[in-house]
Coordinates of all heavy atoms in Angstrom, one line a residue:
R1 N 7.9 3.7 14.3 CA 6.7 4.4 14.0 C 6.8 5.3 12.8 O 5.7 5.6 12.2 CB 6.2 5.2 15.2 CG 5.9 4.4 16.4 CD 5.6 5.4 17.6 NE 5.2 4.5 18.8 CZ 5.0 5.0 20.0 NH1 5.1 6.3 20.3 NH2 4.6 4.2 21.0
T2 N 8.1 5.6 12.4 CA 8.1 6.4 11.1 C 7.7 5.6 9.8 O 7.4 6.3 8.8 CB 9.6 6.9 10.9 OG1 10.4 5.8 10.7 CG2 10.0 7.7 12.2
I3 N 7.6 4.3 9.9 CA 7.3 3.5 8.9 C 5.8 3.7 8.4 O 5.3 3.5 7.3 CB 7.5 2.1 9.1 CG1 9.1 1.9 9.2 CG2 7.1 1.2 7.9 CD1 9.4 0.4 9.5
L4 N 4.9 4.1 9.3 CA 3.4 4.4 9.1 C 3.3 5.3 8.0 O 2.5 5.1 6.9 CB 2.8 4.8 10.3 CG 1.3 5.2 10.1 CD1 0.5 4.0 9.7 CD2 0.7 6.0 11.3
D5 N 3.9 6.5 8.0 CA 3.8 7.4 6.9 C 4.3 6.8 5.5 O 3.7 7.2 4.4 CB 4.7 8.6 7.2 CG 4.0 9.5 8.4 OD1 2.9 9.3 8.6 OD2 4.7 10.3 9.0
M6 N 5.4 6.0 5.6 CA 5.9 5.4 4.3 C 4.8 4.5 3.7 O 4.6 4.4 2.5 CB 7.1 4.7 4.6 CG 8.2 5.5 5.1 SD 9.7 4.5 5.6 CE 10.6 5.5 6.8
I7 N 4.1 3.7 4.5 CA 3.1 2.7 4.1 C 1.9 3.5 3.5 O 1.4 3.3 2.4 CB 2.6 2.0 5.3 CG1 3.7 1.0 5.8 CG2 1.4 0.9 4.8 CD1 3.3 0.2 7.1
N8 N 1.5 4.6 4.2 CA 0.3 5.3 3.8 C 0.6 6.1 2.6 O -0.2 6.4 1.6 CB -0.2 6.2 4.9 CG -0.9 5.5 5.9 OD1 -1.5 4.5 5.7 ND2 -1.0 6.1 7.2
E9 N 1.8 6.6 2.2 CA 2.3 7.3 1.2 C 2.1 6.3 -0.1 O 1.6 6.8 -1.1 CB 3.7 7.8 1.2 CG 4.1 8.6 -0.1 CD 5.5 9.0 0.1 OE1 6.1 8.8 1.3 OE2 6.1 9.5 -0.9
M10 N 2.4 5.1 0.1 CA 2.3 4.1 -1.1 C 0.8 3.8 -1.2 O 0.4 3.6 -2.3 CB 3.1 2.8 -0.6 CG 3.1 1.8 -1.9 SD 4.1 0.6 -1.6 CE 3.6 -0.4 -0.2
R11 N 0.1 3.6 -0.1 CA -1.3 3.1 -0.3 C -2.2 4.2 -0.9 O -3.3 3.9 -1.6 CB -1.9 2.8 1.2 CG -1.5 1.5 1.8 CD -2.0 1.5 3.1 NE -3.5 1.3 3.2 CZ -4.0 0.2 3.2 NH1 -3.5 -1.1 3.3 NH2 -5.5 -0.1 3.3
T12 N -1.8 5.4 -0.8 CA -2.8 6.5 -1.3 C -2.1 7.1 -2.5 O -2.6 8.0 -3.1 CB -2.9 7.7 -0.3 OG1 -1.6 8.1 0.1 CG2 -3.6 7.1 0.9
S13 N -1.1 6.5 -3.1 CA -0.4 7.0 -4.3 C -1.1 6.4 -5.6 O -1.3 5.2 -5.5 CB 1.1 6.6 -4.3 OG 1.6 6.9 -5.5
D14 N -1.4 7.2 -6.6 CA -1.9 6.6 -7.9 C -0.8 5.8 -8.7 O -1.2 4.9 -9.4 CB -2.4 7.9 -8.8 CG -3.7 8.5 -8.2 OD1 -4.3 7.8 -7.3 OD2 -3.8 9.7 -8.5
Y15 N 0.4 6.2 -8.2 CA 1.5 5.5 -9.0 C 2.1 4.3 -8.3 O 2.4 3.3 -9.0 CB 2.7 6.5 -9.2 CG 3.9 5.9 -9.8 CD1 3.9 5.9 -11.2 CD2 5.0 5.7 -9.0 CE1 5.1 5.3 -11.8 CE2 6.2 5.1 -9.7 CZ 6.2 4.9 -11.1 OH 7.2 4.4 -11.7
D16 N 2.1 4.3 -7.0 CA 2.7 3.1 -6.3 C 1.7 2.0 -5.8 O 2.2 0.9 -5.4 CB 3.4 3.7 -5.0 CG 4.7 4.5 -5.4 OD1 5.3 4.1 -6.4 OD2 5.0 5.4 -4.7
A17 N 0.4 2.4 -5.8 CA -0.5 1.3 -5.2 C -0.9 0.3 -6.2 O -2.0 0.3 -6.7 CB -1.8 2.1 -4.7
W18 N -0.1 -0.6 -6.4 CA -0.3 -1.7 -7.5 C 0.5 -3.0 -7.1 O 1.5 -2.9 -6.3 CB 0.2 -1.3 -8.9 CG 1.7 -1.1 -8.9 CD1 2.3 0.3 -8.8 CD2 2.7 -1.9 -9.2 NE1 3.6 0.1 -8.9 CE2 3.9 -1.3 -9.1 CE3 2.7 -3.2 -9.5 CZ2 5.2 -1.9 -9.4 CZ3 3.9 -3.9 -9.6 CH2 5.1 -3.3 -9.6
C19 N 0.1 -4.0 -7.5 CA 0.8 -5.3 -7.4 C 0.6 -6.2 -8.7 O -0.4 -6.0 -9.4 CB 0.2 -6.2 -6.3 SG 0.6 -5.5 -4.7
W20 N 1.5 -7.0 -9.1 CA 1.4 -7.8 -10.2 C 0.2 -8.8 -10.1 O -0.1 -9.3 -8.8 CB 2.6 -8.6 -10.3 CG 3.7 -7.8 -11.1 CD1 4.8 -7.4 -10.6 CD2 3.8 -7.2 -12.4 NE1 5.7 -6.7 -11.4 CE2 4.9 -6.7 -12.6 CE3 2.9 -7.4 -13.6 CZ2 5.3 -6.1 -13.8 CZ3 3.3 -6.8 -14.8 CH2 4.4 -6.1 -14.8
N21 N -0.4 -9.2 -11.1 CA -1.5 -10.2 -11.0 C -0.7 -11.7 -10.9 O 0.5 -11.7 -11.1 CB -2.5 -10.2 -12.2 CG -1.8 -10.4 -13.5 OD1 -0.6 -10.7 -13.6 ND2 -2.6 -10.2 -14.5
E22 N -1.5 -12.7 -10.7 CA -0.8 -14.0 -10.6 C 0.0 -14.5 -11.8 O 0.8 -15.3 -11.6 CB -1.9 -15.0 -10.2 CG -2.4 -14.7 -8.7 CD -3.5 -15.9 -8.3 OE1 -3.1 -17.1 -8.6 OE2 -4.3 -15.6 -7.6
T23 N -0.5 -14.0 -12.9 CA 0.3 -14.5 -14.2 C 1.4 -13.4 -14.5 O 2.0 -13.6 -15.7 CB -0.7 -14.5 -15.3 OG1 -1.4 -13.3 -15.5 CG2 -1.8 -15.6 -15.1
N24 N 1.6 -12.5 -13.7 CA 2.6 -11.4 -14.0 C 2.5 -10.6 -15.3 O 3.5 -10.3 -15.9 CB 4.0 -12.0 -14.0 CG 4.3 -12.5 -12.6 OD1 4.1 -11.9 -11.6 ND2 4.9 -13.7 -12.4
T25 N 1.2 -10.6 -15.8 CA 0.9 -9.9 -17.0 C 0.2 -8.5 -16.9 O 0.1 -7.7 -17.8 CB 0.0 -10.8 -17.9 OG1 -1.3 -11.0 -17.1 CG2 0.6 -12.0 -18.3
K26 N -0.2 -8.2 -15.6 CA -0.9 -7.0 -15.5 C -0.5 -6.4 -14.1 O -0.5 -7.3 -13.0 CB -2.3 -7.2 -15.7 CG -3.1 -5.9 -15.4 CD -4.6 -6.3 -15.6 CE -5.5 -5.1 -15.3 NZ -6.9 -5.4 -15.3
K27 N -0.4 -5.2 -13.9 CA -0.3 -4.5 -12.6 C -1.7 -4.2 -12.1 O -2.4 -3.3 -12.8 CB 0.5 -3.3 -12.6 CG 2.0 -3.6 -12.9 CD 2.8 -2.3 -12.9 CE 4.3 -2.6 -13.1 NZ 5.0 -1.3 -13.1
D28 N -2.1 -4.8 -11.1 CA -3.5 -4.6 -10.5 C -3.4 -3.3 -9.6 O -2.5 -3.4 -8.6 CB -4.0 -5.8 -9.7 CG -4.4 -6.9 -10.7 OD1 -4.7 -6.7 -11.9 OD2 -4.3 -8.1 -10.2
A29 N -4.4 -2.5 -9.6 CA -4.4 -1.3 -8.9 C -5.1 -1.7 -7.6 O -6.1 -2.5 -7.4 CB -5.2 -0.2 -9.4
Y30 N -4.5 -1.2 -6.5 CA -5.0 -1.4 -5.1 C -5.5 0.0 -4.6 O -4.7 0.9 -4.6 CB -3.9 -2.0 -4.2 CG -3.8 -3.4 -4.2 CD1 -3.3 -4.1 -5.4 CD2 -4.0 -4.3 -3.2 CE1 -3.1 -5.4 -5.5 CE2 -3.9 -5.7 -3.2 CZ -3.4 -6.3 -4.4 OH -3.2 -7.6 -4.5
F31 N -6.8 -0.1 -4.2 CA -7.4 1.2 -3.7 C -7.7 1.0 -2.2 O -8.7 0.4 -1.8 CB -8.6 1.5 -4.5 CG -8.4 1.7 -5.9 CD1 -8.5 0.7 -6.7 CD2 -7.9 2.9 -6.3 CE1 -8.4 0.8 -8.2 CE2 -7.5 3.0 -7.8 CZ -7.8 2.0 -8.7
G32 N -6.9 1.5 -1.3 CA -7.2 1.5 0.1 C -7.0 2.7 0.8 O -6.3 3.7 0.3
D33 N -7.6 3.0 1.9 CA -7.5 4.2 2.6 C -6.1 4.1 3.5 O -5.5 2.9 3.7 CB -8.7 4.3 3.6 CG -10.0 4.4 2.9 OD1 -10.0 5.1 1.8 OD2 -11.0 4.0 3.4
A34 N -5.7 5.2 4.0 CA -4.6 5.3 4.8 C -4.8 4.4 6.2 O -6.0 4.4 6.7 CB -4.2 6.7 5.2
L35 N -3.8 3.7 6.6 CA -4.0 2.9 7.8 C -3.8 3.8 9.1 O -3.1 4.9 9.1 CB -2.8 1.9 7.9 CG -2.9 0.9 6.8 CD1 -1.6 -0.1 7.0 CD2 -4.2 0.1 6.7
T36 N -4.6 3.4 10.1 CA -4.4 4.1 11.4 C -3.4 3.4 12.3 O -3.4 2.1 12.2 CB -5.8 4.1 12.1 OG1 -6.7 4.9 11.4 CG2 -5.6 4.9 13.4
Y37 N -2.6 4.0 13.1 CA -1.7 3.4 13.9 C -2.4 2.9 15.1 O -3.1 3.7 15.8 CB -0.6 4.3 14.3 CG 0.7 3.6 14.7 CD1 1.6 2.9 13.8 CD2 1.0 3.4 16.1 CE1 2.7 2.2 14.3 CE2 2.1 2.7 16.5 CZ 2.9 2.1 15.6 OH 4.1 1.4 16.0
D38 N -2.3 1.6 15.4 CA -3.0 0.9 16.6 C -1.9 0.5 17.6 O -1.0 -0.3 17.3 CB -3.7 -0.4 16.0 CG -4.6 -1.0 17.1 OD1 -4.2 -1.0 18.3 OD2 -5.7 -1.4 16.7
Y39 N -2.0 1.1 18.8 CA -1.1 0.9 19.8 C -1.2 -0.5 20.5 O -0.3 -1.0 21.2 CB -1.1 2.1 20.8 CG -0.6 3.4 20.2 CD1 -1.4 4.2 19.7 CD2 0.8 3.6 20.1 CE1 -0.9 5.3 19.0 CE2 1.4 4.7 19.5 CZ 0.4 5.5 19.0 OH 0.8 6.8 18.3
D40 N -2.3 -1.2 20.2 CA -2.5 -2.4 20.7 C -1.7 -3.4 19.8 O -0.9 -4.3 20.3 CB -4.0 -3.0 20.6 CG -4.8 -2.4 21.8 OD1 -4.1 -1.9 22.8 OD2 -6.0 -2.4 21.7
L41 N -1.8 -3.2 18.6 CA -0.9 -3.9 17.6 C 0.5 -3.7 17.6 O 1.3 -4.6 17.4 CB -1.4 -3.6 16.1 CG -2.9 -4.0 15.8 CD1 -3.1 -3.9 14.3 CD2 -3.3 -5.4 16.3

């Protein structure tokens, strides 16, 4: 359960929320909200 905070720290960070595009020429920014922990999942 401690991993939830690690994920959300990355999702909400201006520095860490990115992935390479398919041609590996640009870092695409990802803008997402913090995830909620789901006890069914």
Side-chain angles (χ1 to χ4, degrees):
R1 290 176 180 179
T2 65
I3 296 177
L4 174 65
D5 290 338
M6 302 178 197
I7 297 172
N8 285 335
E9 182 180 354
M10 183 172 67
R11 284 175 69 94
T12 58
S13 169
D14 293 335
Y15 177 78
D16 289 328
W18 63 268
C19 291
W20 284 108
N21 63 8
E22 293 187 36
T23 60
N24 296 314
T25 58
K26 178 184 177 183
K27 291 182 179 180
D28 290 336
Y30 277 64
F31 301 99
D33 296 327
L35 298 176
T36 301
Y37 201 80
D38 189 320
Y39 291 91
D40 288 340
L41 298 190

